[in-house]
Amino acid sequence: MSKTLAIIKPDAVEKNAAGAIIEKIQSAGFKILGLRMLKIDRSQAGVFYEVHKERPFYNDLCDYMSGGKIIPIALEKDNAVDDFRKVIGNTDPEQAEVGTIRKLFGTSKAVNAIHGSDSDENAAKEIVFFFNASELV
Ligand code: CDP
Ligand code: MG
C-alpha cells in the first residue's frame, strides 16, 4: 500500500462539489486515512507550492489556493500516486479524459478543482504539511 495527498481546491469547495468528488475517490478504491477542511494563508500556500516558485503562474496559484476553504485528504491504495493522477486527469480540464475529476469539475488549467501528489516522496512531504502521523493510523 502507498499514500498520496489530494486537495479539493477552493473552486470545487465553493461550488459544493466536495461530496461528489469524495464519492469518485472512494469508488476508485482509495481509502481515506485523514480529511480536514481549512483555509490556508498566502504564505502557507507559497510553502506548499515552493517547488513552483520560479514558474510564471506561482503568484496566481498562491492567491487561488489561499482564496477559500480547501479539503486536504490523505489517501491510501496500492500504487496510490499514479492511480490518483489517473482519477484526477490532466492539469488542464480541457485535455483531461472524460470521467476524470478535472474534466467533471475543473474550470481552467489554473482553476482545476483538485490536487494530487506527483511522487511518493512528495506525497509524504505533502501529507505531513496537513496531518500529524498519529492522526492517520
Ligand atoms: O496539479 P498538477 O500536478 O497537475 O500541475 P502542476 O504543474 O504541478 O501545477 C500545480 C498547479 O498550478 C496546477 O494544478 C494549476 O492549479 C496551476 N498551474 C497553472 O495555473 N498554470 C500552469 N500552466 C500550470 C499549473
Ligand atoms: Mg503537481
Side-chain angles (χ1 to χ4, degrees):
M1 286 300 206
S2 58
K3 295 185 178 73
T4 193
L5 182 80
I7 304 175
I8 303 177
K9 295 184 175 183
D11 55 308
V13 174
E14 187 56 38
K15 65 165 84 154
N16 281 343
I21 290 172
I22 291 166
E23 165 61 25
K24 277 202 76 70
I25 293 170
Q26 291 184 310
S27 295
F30 291 85
K31 181 180 179 186
I32 295 177
L33 298 179
L35 182 153
R36 56 193 293 226
M37 180 157 75
L38 76 164
K39 193 160 186 270
I40 56 173
D41 66 25
R42 217 185 162 289
S43 76
Q44 290 173 300
V47 171
F48 185 83
Y49 279 114
E50 196 145 39
V51 45
H52 292 312
K53 66 171 178 290
E54 306 302 335
R55 308 284 289 278
F57 57 82
Y58 179 68
N59 278 318
D60 287 345
L61 177 59
C62 293
D63 286 341
Y64 162 44
M65 291 300 288
S66 60
K69 287 183 181 175
I70 59 171
I71 302 178
I73 311 173
L75 295 170
E76 184 176 68
K77 188 183 176 298
D78 62 301
N79 202 33
V81 166
D82 289 347
D83 284 3
F84 193 66
R85 297 290 307 198
K86 291 190 191 108
V87 171
I88 72 177
N90 193 283
T91 307
D92 183 349
E94 276 185 31
Q95 311 281 326
E97 275 186 51
V98 172
T100 60
I101 292 171
R102 282 170 166 169
K103 183 62 138 194
L104 286 165
F105 301 106
T107 299
S108 67
K109 190 169 186 178
V111 179
N112 57 7
I114 192 152
H115 168 84
S117 308
D118 65 3
S119 66
D120 287 349
E121 189 190 351
N122 285 334
K125 286 186 200 158
E126 291 175 3
I127 287 169
V128 301
F129 191 90
F130 290 107
F131 299 97
N132 299 313
S134 62
E135 296 171 329
L136 302 182
V137 269

